[in-house]
Amino acid sequence: MLILTRKPGEKIIIGHNIEIEILAVGADQVRIGINAPRQISVYRYELYEAAQAANRAAASQPAREALGEAAKKLRKRVKDEE
Amino acid sequence: MKLKTEHGQEIEFREQDIITFSEGIFGFPHLKRFVLVREAEIEPFIWLLGVDEPYCALPVLDPRPTFSDFNPHPDAAPLGRIGLDSFEPALVLVVVVAPTDGATVTANLLAPIVINPERMIGIQLILSDHRARAKEPLPLAAVAR
């Protein structure tokens, strides 16, 4: 891993068009500004991981039966609301 | 066009049914082409089926009838990548996890799948709305009268 030391107000650049600026440093938090082309997604890592995990779980469960049961309940719920 | 699922089920679809996710979806960045497959048995769930890897089948759901408070304000940038500037004209779906062990069925409200139906292109994005949860239980209990 490349490790750089930066001060608030200083930046790093990734490639030609992704700029990362250290905005502020607190006791246990760092505030970071990111400038990237709009086709580049920027997410908090733990959210990205959660989305990956949910998709993989959805795809790996042979869910037909459980899904059928849930579907029945959902349909009933909608009917009851009408 | 035809494909065979893991269970040997044959699915027929047309070229124009294919939705292209140029960035793939989370966990499956290599899968770019999907079709939506409806099945009466699992209605209102729909299968989002990878065309190039048909054993990648994710149950998805239109969240709005079930989660009435699902009203996200997505960032403009990812929507722009599928030619939209709001959720309005989009087909919005959330991924559903239905565990076989009887555990709670959950929907991922944090990372909706957004499709531009006119251009048949889609994206999965992560909302910056911190209230949106990746494992929101489906309200499956019958409504009390």
Side-chain angles (χ1 to χ4, degrees):
Chain A
M1 186 188 284
L2 172 68
I3 299 170
L4 303 169
T5 304
R6 304 273 63 199
K7 291 178 182 160
E10 291 184 337
K11 297 182 186 180
I12 59 171
I13 186 149
I14 300 174
H16 292 292
N17 45 23
I18 301 174
E19 278 181 27
I20 297 176
E21 182 174 353
I22 308 304
L23 298 175
V25 180
D28 60 354
Q29 274 189 334
V30 179
R31 213 169 156 75
I32 298 171
I34 298 147
N35 255 322
R38 72 173 202 174
Q39 67 268 25
I40 305 271
S41 306
V42 179
Y43 296 123
R44 288 176 177 81
Y45 189 80
E46 63 276 16
L47 299 186
Y48 180 83
E49 258 187 329
Q52 271 187 332
N55 277 3
R56 287 188 184 135
S60 69
Q61 301 276 353
R64 179 168 297 275
E65 232 168 82
L67 208 60
E69 279 306 303
K72 252 186 237 164
K73 289 179 188 165
L74 267 192
R75 290 196 297 259
K76 180 168 191 317
R77 190 172 184 273
V78 170
K79 233 170 144 187
D80 286 353
E81 268 176 4
E82 279 165 7
Chain B
M1 302 170 87
K2 268 184 192 170
L3 62 83
K4 234 180 190 157
T5 67
E6 197 179 1
H7 311 287
Q9 196 186 354
E10 247 183 25
I11 308 276
E12 219 175 329
F13 59 96
R14 299 165 303 168
E15 184 80 43
Q16 60 262 40
D17 295 333
I18 296 174
I19 305 158
T20 303
F21 290 73
S22 63
E23 301 165 35
I25 59 173
F26 296 112
F28 303 93
H30 57 293
L31 298 184
K32 313 287 190 200
R33 306 192 307 154
F34 290 84
V35 287
L36 290 172
V37 180
R38 284 164 209 278
E39 216 182 298
E41 234 173 277
I42 61 155
E43 202 73 35
F45 302 111
I46 309 166
W47 293 108
L48 181 70
L49 192 68
V51 169
D52 305 303
E53 191 173 352
Y55 52 84
C56 177
L58 292 87
V60 295
L61 174 73
D62 174 359
R64 286 179 273 210
T66 307
F67 300 100
S68 51
D69 55 347
F70 182 80
N71 182 28
H73 300 283
D75 297 330
L79 279 186
R81 297 210 288 276
I82 56 164
L84 296 177
D85 52 15
S86 79
F87 264 179
E88 286 305 309
L91 172 61
V92 178
L93 299 165
V94 293
V95 175
V96 172
V97 180
T100 41
D101 60 3
T104 314
V105 180
T106 59
N108 183 357
L109 300 187
L110 178 70
I113 284 170
V114 187
I115 295 163
N116 179 339
E118 218 158 273
R119 291 173 52 187
M120 293 300 272
I121 48 179
I123 192 170
Q124 187 175 22
L125 49 85
I126 295 178
L127 298 173
S128 41
D129 181 348
H130 293 290
R131 289 163 309 168
R133 298 203 303 160
K135 287 184 181 177
E136 186 69 31
L138 282 179
L140 294 181
V143 175
R145 284 163 185 274

mmCIF file of all heavy atoms in Angstrom, chain B residues 23-51:
data_model
loop_
_atom_site.group_PDB
_atom_site.id
_atom_site.type_symbol
_atom_site.label_atom_id
_atom_site.label_comp_id
_atom_site.label_asym_id
_atom_site.label_seq_id
_atom_site.Cartn_x
_atom_site.Cartn_y
_atom_site.Cartn_z
ATOM 1 N N GLU B 23 -21.834 -0.997 -15.552
ATOM 2 C CA GLU B 23 -20.905 -1.154 -14.422
ATOM 3 C C GLU B 23 -21.137 -2.454 -13.667
ATOM 4 O O GLU B 23 -20.533 -2.680 -12.621
ATOM 5 C CB GLU B 23 -21.080 0.011 -13.445
ATOM 6 C CG GLU B 23 -20.825 1.360 -14.063
ATOM 7 C CD GLU B 23 -21.351 2.506 -13.206
ATOM 8 O OE1 GLU B 23 -21.300 2.410 -11.973
ATOM 9 O OE2 GLU B 23 -21.834 3.488 -13.782
ATOM 10 N N GLY B 24 -22.038 -3.300 -14.170
ATOM 11 C CA GLY B 24 -22.405 -4.483 -13.414
ATOM 12 C C GLY B 24 -23.225 -4.088 -12.195
ATOM 13 O O GLY B 24 -23.717 -2.962 -12.108
ATOM 14 N N ILE B 25 -23.384 -5.014 -11.249
ATOM 15 C CA ILE B 25 -24.042 -4.681 -9.993
ATOM 16 C C ILE B 25 -23.085 -5.056 -8.868
ATOM 17 O O ILE B 25 -22.106 -5.762 -9.091
ATOM 18 C CB ILE B 25 -25.406 -5.405 -9.845
ATOM 19 C CG1 ILE B 25 -25.237 -6.920 -9.916
ATOM 20 C CG2 ILE B 25 -26.388 -4.921 -10.906
ATOM 21 C CD1 ILE B 25 -26.514 -7.695 -9.598
ATOM 22 N N PHE B 26 -23.367 -4.594 -7.647
ATOM 23 C CA PHE B 26 -22.438 -4.844 -6.534
ATOM 24 C C PHE B 26 -22.248 -6.349 -6.335
ATOM 25 O O PHE B 26 -23.209 -7.107 -6.310
ATOM 26 C CB PHE B 26 -22.949 -4.195 -5.252
ATOM 27 C CG PHE B 26 -23.012 -2.695 -5.351
ATOM 28 C CD1 PHE B 26 -24.218 -2.030 -5.352
ATOM 29 C CD2 PHE B 26 -21.843 -1.961 -5.485
ATOM 30 C CE1 PHE B 26 -24.282 -0.639 -5.458
ATOM 31 C CE2 PHE B 26 -21.880 -0.569 -5.592
ATOM 32 C CZ PHE B 26 -23.103 0.083 -5.584
ATOM 33 N N GLY B 27 -21.011 -6.751 -6.212
ATOM 34 C CA GLY B 27 -20.709 -8.162 -6.022
ATOM 35 C C GLY B 27 -20.579 -8.932 -7.323
ATOM 36 O O GLY B 27 -20.009 -10.011 -7.358
ATOM 37 N N PHE B 28 -21.139 -8.383 -8.403
ATOM 38 C CA PHE B 28 -21.069 -9.020 -9.714
ATOM 39 C C PHE B 28 -20.698 -7.992 -10.786
ATOM 40 O O PHE B 28 -21.474 -7.759 -11.718
ATOM 41 C CB PHE B 28 -22.415 -9.680 -10.068
ATOM 42 C CG PHE B 28 -22.878 -10.699 -9.066
ATOM 43 C CD1 PHE B 28 -23.735 -10.344 -8.025
ATOM 44 C CD2 PHE B 28 -22.450 -12.021 -9.155
ATOM 45 C CE1 PHE B 28 -24.158 -11.283 -7.092
ATOM 46 C CE2 PHE B 28 -22.869 -12.966 -8.224
ATOM 47 C CZ PHE B 28 -23.721 -12.594 -7.191
ATOM 48 N N PRO B 29 -19.537 -7.355 -10.633
ATOM 49 C CA PRO B 29 -19.205 -6.271 -11.562
ATOM 50 C C PRO B 29 -19.025 -6.749 -13.003
ATOM 51 O O PRO B 29 -19.097 -5.955 -13.933
ATOM 52 C CB PRO B 29 -17.893 -5.708 -10.995
ATOM 53 C CG PRO B 29 -17.329 -6.800 -10.159
ATOM 54 C CD PRO B 29 -18.498 -7.583 -9.628
ATOM 55 N N HIS B 30 -18.809 -8.072 -13.181
ATOM 56 C CA HIS B 30 -18.579 -8.597 -14.533
ATOM 57 C C HIS B 30 -19.880 -8.867 -15.277
ATOM 58 O O HIS B 30 -19.870 -9.105 -16.470
ATOM 59 C CB HIS B 30 -17.738 -9.870 -14.457
ATOM 60 C CG HIS B 30 -18.376 -10.930 -13.595
ATOM 61 N ND1 HIS B 30 -18.527 -10.768 -12.226
ATOM 62 C CD2 HIS B 30 -18.912 -12.123 -13.902
ATOM 63 C CE1 HIS B 30 -19.131 -11.859 -11.731
ATOM 64 N NE2 HIS B 30 -19.374 -12.681 -12.730
ATOM 65 N N LEU B 31 -21.005 -8.855 -14.571
ATOM 66 C CA LEU B 31 -22.283 -9.140 -15.234
ATOM 67 C C LEU B 31 -22.903 -7.840 -15.727
ATOM 68 O O LEU B 31 -23.217 -6.960 -14.936
ATOM 69 C CB LEU B 31 -23.254 -9.845 -14.284
ATOM 70 C CG LEU B 31 -22.820 -11.197 -13.758
ATOM 71 C CD1 LEU B 31 -23.928 -11.813 -12.913
ATOM 72 C CD2 LEU B 31 -22.470 -12.131 -14.906
ATOM 73 N N LYS B 32 -23.066 -7.739 -17.026
ATOM 74 C CA LYS B 32 -23.539 -6.476 -17.600
ATOM 75 C C LYS B 32 -24.969 -6.579 -18.154
ATOM 76 O O LYS B 32 -25.599 -5.568 -18.387
ATOM 77 C CB LYS B 32 -22.619 -6.037 -18.755
ATOM 78 C CG LYS B 32 -21.131 -6.120 -18.447
ATOM 79 C CD LYS B 32 -20.663 -5.040 -17.507
ATOM 80 C CE LYS B 32 -19.138 -5.022 -17.434
ATOM 81 N NZ LYS B 32 -18.662 -4.353 -16.225
ATOM 82 N N ARG B 33 -25.429 -7.784 -18.441
ATOM 83 C CA ARG B 33 -26.723 -7.900 -19.131
ATOM 84 C C ARG B 33 -27.698 -8.748 -18.309
ATOM 85 O O ARG B 33 -27.380 -9.866 -17.899
ATOM 86 C CB ARG B 33 -26.528 -8.533 -20.510
ATOM 87 C CG ARG B 33 -25.473 -7.781 -21.365
ATOM 88 C CD ARG B 33 -25.515 -8.226 -22.804
ATOM 89 N NE ARG B 33 -25.408 -9.663 -22.943
ATOM 90 C CZ ARG B 33 -25.894 -10.351 -23.962
ATOM 91 N NH1 ARG B 33 -26.523 -9.717 -24.933
ATOM 92 N NH2 ARG B 33 -25.757 -11.652 -24.016
ATOM 93 N N PHE B 34 -28.868 -8.179 -18.091
ATOM 94 C CA PHE B 34 -29.881 -8.848 -17.270
ATOM 95 C C PHE B 34 -31.246 -8.792 -17.962
ATOM 96 O O PHE B 34 -31.490 -7.915 -18.793
ATOM 97 C CB PHE B 34 -30.009 -8.155 -15.913
ATOM 98 C CG PHE B 34 -28.815 -8.343 -15.004
ATOM 99 C CD1 PHE B 34 -27.696 -7.520 -15.117
ATOM 100 C CD2 PHE B 34 -28.814 -9.337 -14.046
ATOM 101 C CE1 PHE B 34 -26.598 -7.697 -14.283
ATOM 102 C CE2 PHE B 34 -27.721 -9.523 -13.206
ATOM 103 C CZ PHE B 34 -26.609 -8.706 -13.326
ATOM 104 N N VAL B 35 -32.119 -9.711 -17.594
ATOM 105 C CA VAL B 35 -33.526 -9.606 -17.981
ATOM 106 C C VAL B 35 -34.371 -9.719 -16.707
ATOM 107 O O VAL B 35 -33.939 -10.305 -15.715
ATOM 108 C CB VAL B 35 -33.966 -10.693 -18.993
ATOM 109 C CG1 VAL B 35 -33.385 -10.427 -20.372
ATOM 110 C CG2 VAL B 35 -33.597 -12.091 -18.507
ATOM 111 N N LEU B 36 -35.556 -9.126 -16.746
ATOM 112 C CA LEU B 36 -36.502 -9.262 -15.639
ATOM 113 C C LEU B 36 -37.465 -10.377 -15.997
ATOM 114 O O LEU B 36 -38.075 -10.362 -17.069
ATOM 115 C CB LEU B 36 -37.258 -7.949 -15.417
ATOM 116 C CG LEU B 36 -36.432 -6.794 -14.849
ATOM 117 C CD1 LEU B 36 -37.242 -5.505 -14.857
ATOM 118 C CD2 LEU B 36 -35.957 -7.112 -13.430
ATOM 119 N N VAL B 37 -37.576 -11.359 -15.115
ATOM 120 C CA VAL B 37 -38.445 -12.505 -15.380
ATOM 121 C C VAL B 37 -39.551 -12.539 -14.334
ATOM 122 O O VAL B 37 -39.286 -12.606 -13.137
ATOM 123 C CB VAL B 37 -37.627 -13.825 -15.343
ATOM 124 C CG1 VAL B 37 -38.544 -15.014 -15.619
ATOM 125 C CG2 VAL B 37 -36.490 -13.775 -16.349
ATOM 126 N N ARG B 38 -40.787 -12.456 -14.817
ATOM 127 C CA ARG B 38 -41.934 -12.492 -13.904
ATOM 128 C C ARG B 38 -42.453 -13.919 -13.792
ATOM 129 O O ARG B 38 -42.428 -14.669 -14.755
ATOM 130 C CB ARG B 38 -43.043 -11.570 -14.417
ATOM 131 C CG ARG B 38 -42.719 -10.124 -14.164
ATOM 132 C CD ARG B 38 -43.591 -9.185 -14.990
ATOM 133 N NE ARG B 38 -42.860 -7.956 -15.259
ATOM 134 C CZ ARG B 38 -42.770 -6.951 -14.374
ATOM 135 N NH1 ARG B 38 -43.389 -7.016 -13.225
ATOM 136 N NH2 ARG B 38 -42.069 -5.879 -14.678
ATOM 137 N N GLU B 39 -42.920 -14.248 -12.603
ATOM 138 C CA GLU B 39 -43.405 -15.598 -12.353
ATOM 139 C C GLU B 39 -44.571 -15.437 -11.400
ATOM 140 O O GLU B 39 -44.420 -14.850 -10.326
ATOM 141 C CB GLU B 39 -42.282 -16.387 -11.681
ATOM 142 C CG GLU B 39 -42.175 -17.826 -12.073
ATOM 143 C CD GLU B 39 -41.053 -18.494 -11.296
ATOM 144 O OE1 GLU B 39 -39.884 -18.084 -11.446
ATOM 145 O OE2 GLU B 39 -41.362 -19.404 -10.523
ATOM 146 N N ALA B 40 -45.751 -15.968 -11.783
ATOM 147 C CA ALA B 40 -46.966 -15.753 -10.975
ATOM 148 C C ALA B 40 -46.759 -16.188 -9.524
ATOM 149 O O ALA B 40 -47.193 -15.509 -8.590
ATOM 150 C CB ALA B 40 -48.137 -16.509 -11.593
ATOM 151 N N GLU B 41 -46.059 -17.301 -9.349
ATOM 152 C CA GLU B 41 -45.862 -17.893 -8.022
ATOM 153 C C GLU B 41 -45.180 -16.947 -7.024
ATOM 154 O O GLU B 41 -45.425 -17.040 -5.827
ATOM 155 C CB GLU B 41 -44.944 -19.098 -8.190
ATOM 156 C CG GLU B 41 -45.459 -20.393 -7.641
ATOM 157 C CD GLU B 41 -44.501 -21.491 -8.053
ATOM 158 O OE1 GLU B 41 -44.628 -21.983 -9.198
ATOM 159 O OE2 GLU B 41 -43.619 -21.798 -7.255
ATOM 160 N N ILE B 42 -44.302 -16.109 -7.531
ATOM 161 C CA ILE B 42 -43.533 -15.254 -6.623
ATOM 162 C C ILE B 42 -43.913 -13.777 -6.744
ATOM 163 O O ILE B 42 -43.280 -12.912 -6.143
ATOM 164 C CB ILE B 42 -42.005 -15.411 -6.818
ATOM 165 C CG1 ILE B 42 -41.595 -15.008 -8.226
ATOM 166 C CG2 ILE B 42 -41.562 -16.823 -6.487
ATOM 167 C CD1 ILE B 42 -40.150 -14.571 -8.320
ATOM 168 N N GLU B 43 -44.928 -13.471 -7.533
ATOM 169 C CA GLU B 43 -45.447 -12.095 -7.616
ATOM 170 C C GLU B 43 -45.726 -11.592 -6.193
ATOM 171 O O GLU B 43 -46.273 -12.355 -5.399
ATOM 172 C CB GLU B 43 -46.733 -12.140 -8.452
ATOM 173 C CG GLU B 43 -47.144 -10.864 -9.097
ATOM 174 C CD GLU B 43 -46.247 -10.487 -10.290
ATOM 175 O OE1 GLU B 43 -45.790 -11.373 -11.022
ATOM 176 O OE2 GLU B 43 -46.030 -9.296 -10.433
ATOM 177 N N PRO B 44 -45.375 -10.399 -5.771
ATOM 178 C CA PRO B 44 -44.829 -9.263 -6.533
ATOM 179 C C PRO B 44 -43.302 -9.271 -6.720
ATOM 180 O O PRO B 44 -42.772 -8.302 -7.238
ATOM 181 C CB PRO B 44 -45.234 -8.072 -5.663
ATOM 182 C CG PRO B 44 -45.192 -8.617 -4.272
ATOM 183 C CD PRO B 44 -45.622 -10.054 -4.374
ATOM 184 N N PHE B 45 -42.625 -10.326 -6.304
ATOM 185 C CA PHE B 45 -41.193 -10.382 -6.577
ATOM 186 C C PHE B 45 -40.975 -10.688 -8.057
ATOM 187 O O PHE B 45 -41.825 -11.288 -8.703
ATOM 188 C CB PHE B 45 -40.512 -11.461 -5.727
ATOM 189 C CG PHE B 45 -40.690 -11.275 -4.254
ATOM 190 C CD1 PHE B 45 -41.467 -12.158 -3.511
ATOM 191 C CD2 PHE B 45 -40.102 -10.202 -3.602
ATOM 192 C CE1 PHE B 45 -41.650 -11.981 -2.147
ATOM 193 C CE2 PHE B 45 -40.278 -10.019 -2.227
ATOM 194 C CZ PHE B 45 -41.059 -10.913 -1.511
ATOM 195 N N ILE B 46 -39.835 -10.245 -8.545
ATOM 196 C CA ILE B 46 -39.449 -10.479 -9.943
ATOM 197 C C ILE B 46 -38.018 -11.011 -9.897
ATOM 198 O O ILE B 46 -37.258 -10.657 -8.984
ATOM 199 C CB ILE B 46 -39.476 -9.153 -10.747
ATOM 200 C CG1 ILE B 46 -40.803 -8.405 -10.569
ATOM 201 C CG2 ILE B 46 -39.215 -9.385 -12.226
ATOM 202 C CD1 ILE B 46 -40.765 -6.959 -11.060
ATOM 203 N N TRP B 47 -37.648 -11.832 -10.843
ATOM 204 C CA TRP B 47 -36.251 -12.267 -10.923
ATOM 205 C C TRP B 47 -35.452 -11.301 -11.784
ATOM 206 O O TRP B 47 -35.870 -10.956 -12.888
ATOM 207 C CB TRP B 47 -36.127 -13.663 -11.556
ATOM 208 C CG TRP B 47 -36.707 -14.770 -10.746
ATOM 209 C CD1 TRP B 47 -37.859 -15.461 -11.012
ATOM 210 C CD2 TRP B 47 -36.172 -15.344 -9.543
ATOM 211 N NE1 TRP B 47 -38.073 -16.416 -10.047
ATOM 212 C CE2 TRP B 47 -37.056 -16.365 -9.140
ATOM 213 C CE3 TRP B 47 -35.041 -15.080 -8.768
ATOM 214 C CZ2 TRP B 47 -36.838 -17.127 -7.991
ATOM 215 C CZ3 TRP B 47 -34.825 -15.844 -7.633
ATOM 216 C CH2 TRP B 47 -35.708 -16.850 -7.246
ATOM 217 N N LEU B 48 -34.318 -10.889 -11.267
ATOM 218 C CA LEU B 48 -33.346 -10.173 -12.093
ATOM 219 C C LEU B 48 -32.298 -11.218 -12.448
ATOM 220 O O LEU B 48 -31.554 -11.688 -11.592
ATOM 221 C CB LEU B 48 -32.721 -9.013 -11.314
ATOM 222 C CG LEU B 48 -31.695 -8.167 -12.088
ATOM 223 C CD1 LEU B 48 -32.377 -7.341 -13.174
ATOM 224 C CD2 LEU B 48 -30.941 -7.229 -11.146
ATOM 225 N N LEU B 49 -32.305 -11.600 -13.707
ATOM 226 C CA LEU B 49 -31.549 -12.765 -14.132
ATOM 227 C C LEU B 49 -30.391 -12.352 -15.029
ATOM 228 O O LEU B 49 -30.591 -11.665 -16.027
ATOM 229 C CB LEU B 49 -32.517 -13.685 -14.891
ATOM 230 C CG LEU B 49 -32.078 -15.096 -15.225
ATOM 231 C CD1 LEU B 49 -31.947 -15.919 -13.953
ATOM 232 C CD2 LEU B 49 -33.091 -15.740 -16.160
ATOM 233 N N GLY B 50 -29.187 -12.754 -14.644
ATOM 234 C CA GLY B 50 -28.022 -12.482 -15.475
ATOM 235 C C GLY B 50 -28.094 -13.317 -16.738
ATOM 236 O O GLY B 50 -28.272 -14.530 -16.674
ATOM 237 N N VAL B 51 -27.996 -12.662 -17.885
ATOM 238 C CA VAL B 51 -28.154 -13.361 -19.157
ATOM 239 C C VAL B 51 -26.892 -14.148 -19.490
ATOM 240 O O VAL B 51 -26.940 -15.215 -20.099
ATOM 241 C CB VAL B 51 -28.478 -12.346 -20.284
ATOM 242 C CG1 VAL B 51 -28.396 -12.988 -21.645
ATOM 243 C CG2 VAL B 51 -29.848 -11.751 -20.051
#
